[in-house]
């Protein structure tokens, strides 16, 4: 019998096809209404990348640009991510890039749509999609970008600030780690901090890149 948590907590689980490949998942996720976030978003933004990518990056949720384009990490945070993963020696075309939550959550401010953090109900509702992506791609290394992805993957007690750049034992991949979200680099208060933060982020990504060697 379902307990009270199951009744209150929506989940995408029932929508996931049996033994899905990425295309099957992407099609099914396009129809997802498991939590309220689909209502105010343009479309589901599913993960993208080679179906056997050795490395997977997991962000928080699509932003304004991603919501309109239908692709993950194509806005300013995506440009920052591209630049730093390249600097770390990883080719974005060989990486699978996705988000913990697949619909854009926002609040209006004038004519603009301002990012709003997904809550734990929404993260849990969407988690089956991420889990299914990981099961389909089977990456060797999973990198959580920021607190939302890290807590979705490694639990609520996980603290990115304390544990960034370190290996985390995880059932999801042989190697897993977390670092900050690239959008945090865009919010640095001054140039010096920004440079330092970019260098630290790139250093974390280099550690992830090193795990890909020796296959
Ligand atoms: N921020 C994210 O976490 N994901 C995106 O796809 C874009 C911005
Ligand atoms: Fe489904 Fe995730 Fe979108 Fe919620 S955010 S409707 S769980 S795809």
């Amino acid at each position: 019998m379902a307990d009270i948590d199951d009744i209150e907590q929506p989940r995408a689980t029932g929508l996931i096809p049996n033994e899905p490949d990425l295309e099957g998942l992407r099609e099914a996720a396009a129809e997802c209404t498991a939590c309220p976030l689909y209502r105010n978003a343009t479309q589901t933004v599913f993960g993208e990348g080679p179906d056997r990518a050795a490395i997977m990056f997991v962000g928080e949720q699509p932003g304004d640009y991603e919501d309109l384009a239908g692709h993950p990490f194509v806005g300013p945070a995506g440009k920052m991510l591209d630049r730093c993963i390249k600097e770390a020696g990883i080719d974005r075309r060989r990486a699978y890039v996705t988000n913990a939550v697949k619909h854009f959550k926002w609040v209006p401010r004038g004519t603009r749509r301002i990012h709003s953090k997904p809550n734990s109900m929404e993260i849990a509702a969407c988690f089956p999609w991420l889990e299914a992506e990981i099961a389909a791609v089977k990456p060797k290394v999973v990198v959580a970008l920021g607190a939302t992805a890290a807590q979705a993957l490694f639990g609520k007690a996980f603290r990115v600030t304390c544990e960034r750049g370190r290996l985390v034992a995880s059932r999801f991949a042989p190697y897993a780690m977390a670092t900050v979200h690239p959008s945090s680099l865009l919010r640095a208060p001054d140039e010096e901090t920004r440079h330092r933060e970019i260098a630290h982020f790139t250093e974390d990504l280099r550690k992830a890149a090193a795990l890909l060697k020796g296959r």
Side-chain angles (χ1 to χ4, degrees):
M1 203 170 75
D3 66 26
I4 195 96
D5 283 349
D6 292 330
I7 293 164
E8 287 178 355
Q9 171 63 59
R11 277 183 217 279
T13 314
L15 300 164
I16 293 178
N18 274 333
E19 305 202 8
D21 59 11
L22 281 175
E23 263 329 291
L25 286 173
R26 184 171 290 114
E27 278 171 28
E31 307 298 323
C32 186
T33 56
C35 85
L37 292 186
Y38 76 94
R39 291 198 192 120
N40 293 327
T42 308
Q43 56 193 320
T44 305
V45 179
F46 207 66
E48 285 178 2
D51 52 3
R52 283 283 179 273
I55 187 162
M56 182 182 289
F57 293 99
V58 183
E60 180 183 76
Q61 63 171 347
D64 188 47
Y65 290 86
E66 291 78 15
D67 173 73
L68 296 173
H71 303 291
F73 280 107
V74 292
K79 300 246 162 22
M80 179 60 81
L81 177 65
D82 284 357
R83 165 183 161 184
C84 297
I85 63 177
K86 189 169 179 196
E87 178 78 24
I90 302 164
D91 183 349
R92 166 139 181 199
R93 288 166 306 181
R94 302 186 65 180
Y96 189 89
V97 177
T98 190
N99 285 298
V101 168
K102 271 45 174 183
H103 275 107
F104 178 37
K105 183 179 182 184
W106 57 279
V107 289
R109 188 181 299 160
T111 57
R112 294 175 61 209
R113 303 189 299 170
I114 305 298
H115 161 277
S116 165
K117 219 171 154 49
N119 63 36
S120 55
M121 183 274 283
E122 293 148 355
I123 296 165
C126 212
F127 191 67
W129 293 122
L130 178 59
E131 216 174 6
E133 283 176 297
I134 297 172
V137 176
K138 300 183 180 65
K140 185 179 182 188
V141 184
V142 170
V143 183
L145 302 171
T148 298
Q151 291 180 8
L153 287 165
F154 310 136
K156 277 200 183 159
F158 191 90
R159 290 288 169 269
V160 171
T161 41
C162 307
E163 299 183 64
R164 66 181 291 182
R166 292 198 209 142
L167 284 180
V168 188
S170 165
R171 68 189 165 93
F172 296 111
Y175 301 104
M177 69 159 68
T179 182
V180 296
H181 194 286
S183 67
S184 69
L185 312 174
L186 301 169
R187 291 193 302 265
D190 55 69
E191 264 311 290
E192 194 192 327
T193 314
R194 184 175 145 109
H195 272 116
R196 199 175 53 234
E197 287 300 317
I198 290 173
H200 193 177
F201 181 61
T202 307
E203 190 187 310
D204 289 346
L205 297 181
R206 268 197 203 101
K207 291 180 192 156
L211 298 167
L212 292 173
K213 305 239 167 73
R215 267 184 296 152

